[in-house]
Amino acid sequence: AQKVTQAQTEISVVEKEDVTLDCVYETRDTTYYLFWYKQPPSGELVFLIRRNSFDEQNEISGRYSWNFQKSTSSFNFTITASQVVDSAVYFCALSEGDTGRRALTFGSGTRLQVQP
Amino acid sequence: GAGVSQSPSNKVTEKGKDVELRCDPISGHTALYWYRQRLGQGLEFLIYFQGNSAPDKSGLPSDRFSAERTGESVSTLTIQRTQQEDSAVYLCASSSHLLAVAKNIQYFGAGTRLSVL
């Protein structure tokens, strides 16, 4: 069965620090999709990124970057020069299969607090 | 509407009562998902609708939980004889398999916070 582990329950940093959120996954499928979502205090999950299992290229979007390594079954998320607005709970999720339509299996989330 | 809409935003009920939670997906989205998020935890899958296919009910925790969806529109999640352990935020998501860029990406509503006293 699939599983997503986010070992860091809570991280606190000071503004402008870099921070990496860890995600480790387990799946028996050879084809799958990985996601990161942000859940600000308002509660609504905001989609950040999707990566399929055949694409190990790292991605950068502004201050956000993602490191996907199949060899270690990890999909880590780094925020560079963190800002107070980055404070939220971040979830890593997995969808098995080749369509990405299946329900998501979520990790337990990492709460990030960025102090001014 | 522009996003996934859920109602009510908050619901307080007494143990043993039935509740209905509503989800309006993004227009044109064929897939609709229900998840449950207990306090301080990740999301647990409940049920998935895809077009007119039979729903995937594999995540429903008990027969007290049921959901309906008519076509590709509104969905209702019903919890019968609520228990205190049902207290959680119930989140709905929708996705489209047709959009090139956003294909099969799940977009979430703000959720319904259910409190069972």
Side-chain angles (χ1 to χ4, degrees), chain A residues 37 39 50 99 101 104, chain B residues 33 35 37 45 103-104 106:
Chain A
Y37 282 85
Q39 187 176 42
R50 174 180 62 186
T99 65
R101 292 187 203 177
L104 297 171
Chain B
Y33 308 77
Y35 294 87
Q37 184 177 24
F45 164 69
K103 184 175 177 178
N104 296 332
Q106 294 181 33

Side-chain angles (χ1 to χ4, degrees), chain A:
Chain A
Q2 65 272 29
K3 184 180 178 182
V4 176
T5 301
Q6 294 180 255
Q8 304 152 307
T9 305
E10 186 161 347
I11 300 175
S12 183
V13 299
V14 177
E15 208 169 16
K16 297 185 184 176
E17 284 186 20
D18 299 346
V19 58
T20 295
L21 310 181
D22 298 333
C23 173
V24 173
Y25 63 92
E26 296 176 28
T27 177
R28 294 180 184 165
D29 276 17
T30 56
T31 306
Y32 50 89
Y33 289 81
L34 295 164
F35 300 77
W36 276 94
Y37 282 85
K38 174 182 179 180
Q39 187 176 42
S42 62
E44 190 165 337
L45 270 78
V46 177
F47 166 77
L48 295 179
I49 190 172
R50 174 180 62 186
R51 175 67 73 226
N52 75 53
S53 52
F54 295 110
D55 182 3
E56 286 193 74
Q57 211 170 13
N58 291 331
E59 180 154 342
I60 298 174
S61 176
R63 297 184 296 107
Y64 295 170
S65 61
W66 290 270
N67 183 352
F68 176 28
Q69 294 197 348
K70 287 180 75 170
S71 60
T72 55
S73 297
S74 65
F75 186 43
N76 296 337
F77 173 30
T78 297
I79 302 175
T80 303
S82 60
Q83 299 176 2
V84 173
V85 293
D86 296 327
S87 296
V89 181
Y90 291 86
F91 289 98
C92 180
L94 165 73
S95 176
E96 293 183 319
D98 60 358
T99 65
R101 292 187 203 177
R102 293 193 197 170
L104 297 171
T105 297
F106 283 84
S108 56
T110 297
R111 180 178 299 278
L112 173 65
Q113 299 219 356
V114 181
Q115 309 289 348

